[in-house]
């Protein structure tokens, strides 16, 4: 068992994705996308506050315009008050003149006429005085109304200026947090995440020598953000019946995004998926061909994994390589209808990490890079579970296959380091 356990441990968190921070601490940090949204929200709040303040300042300027309704009303009241004051002054002068005539009157008839004129003048003066008081009150009201409006607008301007100051502080803090996060992301430490999964869907558990089978590499993103570029990787490995001789040269793996078939490159890349939204999955078609000379009862396995890199410099990948074993059968035999079941690595056996996409029998809701969706049944195999070759069958074969997987991980690390 030691021969199996040690290489399998090497298949867990890839050194390329080692992180010095505890997983919980990393998960609690806001993502770059969340920080970018916070900056956008803060910018909008700041812009809104500036617009509000400008509008209020303009409204105060409008109140100062002579054509503003408040100024028109004040001017009319002022004109009316002036006219009333003039009438009262004339009425008061008429009273003064009437008193002088009364004093100058000699005859009783002249005195009576002068007295009546004085009485009429005093009544007119009172009416003029009342009219002036009314006009003065209207002028005072118009002035107070205009002043109240100006004061209220000034108060709102003050509040808006305070809001601008607060919004600017929040905007500055959000920008600083985003800059720090991008700086941290740019240090090159990639983060392993179980919320990005890679699964082989539809790979038969038994494949005849000289046979070609198509299956799917499904990528499922539940990281909470769009991943700008996801690079799926796939690596086939096989041994003869003894489990001691590698026959990798007899296995040929290709990938397709719907525009023809391409050989898996030397770094095991199966193309790339752009802008994989959170909550969505993408399917990359894979095609495995076994040469007719592939050894009967040989043990095969397909490793699948995925890395991601975002435009902001953040990066990471699936922490555990998915291992899908199959048995090589005789030439002319049909591939089994039973799909290969993934074998758990130690890290997936001892944690509650999410199973690979499609491993619970559900159908993805979002089309992948080639616009297809697929189903897969079963769950992560536990030690002793039934499959074509439980735990890659023989211990010797397991050690060889897992050892090859360790080499695959090292190659994957070099690929990432050189990216």
């Amino acid at each position: 068992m030691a021969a199996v356990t040690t290489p399998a441990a090497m298949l867990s968190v890839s050194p390329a994705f080692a992180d010095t921070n505890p997983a919980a601490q990393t998960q609690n940090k806001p993502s770059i996308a969340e920080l970018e949204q916070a900056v956008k929200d803060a910018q909008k709040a700041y812009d809104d506050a500036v617009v509000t303040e400008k509008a209020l300042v303009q409204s105060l300027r409008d109140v100062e315009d002579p054509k503003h309704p408040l100024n028109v009303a004040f001017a009319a009241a002022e004109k009316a008050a002036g006219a009333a004051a003039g009438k009262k002054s004339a009425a008061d002068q008429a009273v003064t003149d009437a008193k002088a005539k009364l004093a100058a009157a000699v005859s009783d008839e002249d005195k009576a006429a002068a007295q009546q004129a004085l009485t009429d003048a005093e009544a007119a003066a009172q009416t003029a005085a009342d009219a002036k008081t009314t006009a003065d009150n209207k002028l005072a009201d118009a002035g107070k109304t205009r002043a109240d409006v100006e004061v209220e607008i000034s108060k709102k301007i003050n509040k808006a200026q305070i809001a601008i100051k607060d919004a600017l502080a929040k905007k500055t803090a959000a920008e600083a947090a985003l800059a720090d996060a991008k700086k941290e992301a740019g240090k090159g430490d990639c983060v392993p995440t179980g919320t990005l999964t890679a699964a082989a869907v539809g790979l038969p558990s038994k494949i005849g020598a000289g046979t070609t089978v198509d299956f799917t590499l499904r990528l499922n993103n539940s990281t909470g953000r769009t991943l700008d570029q996801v690079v799926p990787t796939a690596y086939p490995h096989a041994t003869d019946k003894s489990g001691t001789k590698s026959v990798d040269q007899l296995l040929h793996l290709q990938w397709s995004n719907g525009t023809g078939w391409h050989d898996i490159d030397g770094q095991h890349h199966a193309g790339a998926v752009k802008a994989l939204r959170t909550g969505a999955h993408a399917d990359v078609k894979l095609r495995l061909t076994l040469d007719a000379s592939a050894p009967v009862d040989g043990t095969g396995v397909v490793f699948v994994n995925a890395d991601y890199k975002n435009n902001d410099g953040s990066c990471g990948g699936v922490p555990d390589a998915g291992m899908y074993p199959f048995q090589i059968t005789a030439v002319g035999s049909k591939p089994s209808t039973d799909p290969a079941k993934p074998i758990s690595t130690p890290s997936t056996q001892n944690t509650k990490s999410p199973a690979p996409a499609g491993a619970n029998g559900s159908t993805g809701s979002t089309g992948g890079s080639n616009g297809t969706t697929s189903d897969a049944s079963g769950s992560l195999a536990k030690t002793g579970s039934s499959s074509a070759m439980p735990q890659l069958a023989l211990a010797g074969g397991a050690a060889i296959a897992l050892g090859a997987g360790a080499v695959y991980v090292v190659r994957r690390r070099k690929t990432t380091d050189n990216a």
Side-chain angles (χ1 to χ4, degrees):
M1 290 298 293
V4 177
T5 304
T6 301
M10 297 177 68
L11 278 174
S12 59
V13 179
S14 171
F17 303 132
D19 188 11
T20 56
N21 295 324
Q25 182 177 359
T26 300
Q27 292 174 357
N28 290 333
K29 290 182 178 180
S31 66
I32 297 293
E34 290 171 334
L35 291 173
E36 288 175 338
Q37 186 60 49
V39 169
K40 290 180 180 179
D41 293 343
Q43 181 67 55
K44 184 178 185 304
Y46 174 76
D47 292 341
D48 289 347
V50 170
V51 169
T52 299
E53 192 263 352
K54 287 183 177 180
L56 289 169
V57 169
Q58 184 58 49
S59 65
L60 185 60
R61 291 174 179 169
D62 291 341
V63 171
E64 297 172 353
D65 189 330
K67 295 181 179 180
H68 191 278
L70 290 174
N71 287 324
V72 171
F74 181 82
E78 189 174 41
K79 182 177 180 181
K87 290 180 179 180
K88 181 179 181 301
S89 178
D92 290 341
Q93 184 60 49
V95 170
T96 300
D97 294 342
K99 287 181 178 179
K101 287 184 179 181
L102 179 60
V106 176
S107 65
D108 292 339
E109 184 178 357
D110 290 340
K111 288 181 179 181
Q115 182 61 51
Q116 185 59 48
L118 177 59
T119 299
D120 294 341
E122 288 176 340
Q126 184 61 50
T127 300
D130 294 341
K132 181 179 182 303
T133 299
T134 299
D136 288 344
N137 290 338
K138 288 183 178 181
L139 177 61
D141 290 342
K144 183 177 183 301
T145 298
R146 184 177 64 179
D148 288 345
V149 170
E150 291 174 337
V151 169
E152 188 62 27
I153 294 175
S154 297
K155 288 180 179 179
K156 291 180 179 180
I157 290 175
N158 184 58
K159 289 182 179 180
Q161 290 172 341
I162 294 175
I164 289 175
K165 183 178 179 181
D166 292 343
L168 180 59
K170 292 179 180 178
K171 173 176 171 289
T172 301
E175 290 172 340
L178 176 60
D180 290 343
K182 286 186 175 181
K183 182 179 179 181
E184 184 68 24
K187 290 181 179 180
D189 290 335
C190 295
V191 182
T193 174
T195 52
L196 172 65
T197 59
V201 179
L203 175 69
S205 58
K206 295 182 180 181
I207 305 174
T211 302
T212 295
V213 295
D214 292 346
F215 60 103
T216 298
L217 197 170
R218 172 165 290 184
L219 305 170
N220 190 71
N221 177 20
S222 56
T223 61
R225 66 165 294 176
T226 294
L227 301 178
D228 295 322
Q229 177 171 273
V230 180
V231 179
T233 52
Y235 172 65
H237 171 68
T239 65
D240 62 3
K241 183 178 180 180
S242 70
T244 60
K245 180 181 178 180
S246 173
V247 292
D248 288 5
Q249 73 278 7
L250 303 180
L251 276 62
H252 310 282
L253 190 61
Q254 294 180 303
W255 67 274
S256 174
N257 59 2
T259 59
W261 290 98
H262 312 276
D263 291 334
I264 295 289
D265 64 22
Q267 297 175 335
H268 314 297
H269 292 166
V273 175
K274 303 288 186 179
L276 181 57
R277 302 189 310 275
T278 184
H281 73 254
D283 289 343
V284 177
K285 292 181 179 179
L286 294 180
R287 172 170 286 178
L288 177 63
T289 300
L290 276 59
D291 285 354
S293 57
V296 177
D297 291 333
T299 299
V301 64
V302 173
F303 297 93
V304 295
N305 214 308
D307 306 332
Y308 71 84
K309 186 172 183 180
N310 296 316
N311 296 334
D312 57 24
S314 60
C315 57
V318 179
D320 300 306
M323 301 183 293
Y324 293 80
F326 61 89
Q327 182 180 8
I328 301 175
T329 56
V331 174
S333 59
K334 294 183 178 180
S336 66
T337 56
D338 295 329
K341 296 181 179 180
I343 292 178
S344 301
T345 63
S347 62
T348 57
Q349 289 176 357
N350 299 327
T351 64
K352 296 182 179 180
S353 298
N360 58 1
S362 62
T363 300
S365 60
T366 304
S369 60
N370 56 12
T372 63
T373 57
S374 302
D375 290 341
S377 60
S379 59
L380 286 178
K382 298 181 180 179
T383 302
S385 64
S386 60
S387 67
M389 303 295 286
Q391 286 291 59
L392 294 183
L394 304 174
I400 294 295
L402 293 175
V407 173
Y408 161 62
V409 171
V410 172
R411 289 178 178 173
R412 181 165 171 265
R413 179 188 181 189
K414 290 180 178 179
T415 297
T416 306
D417 290 344
N418 294 330

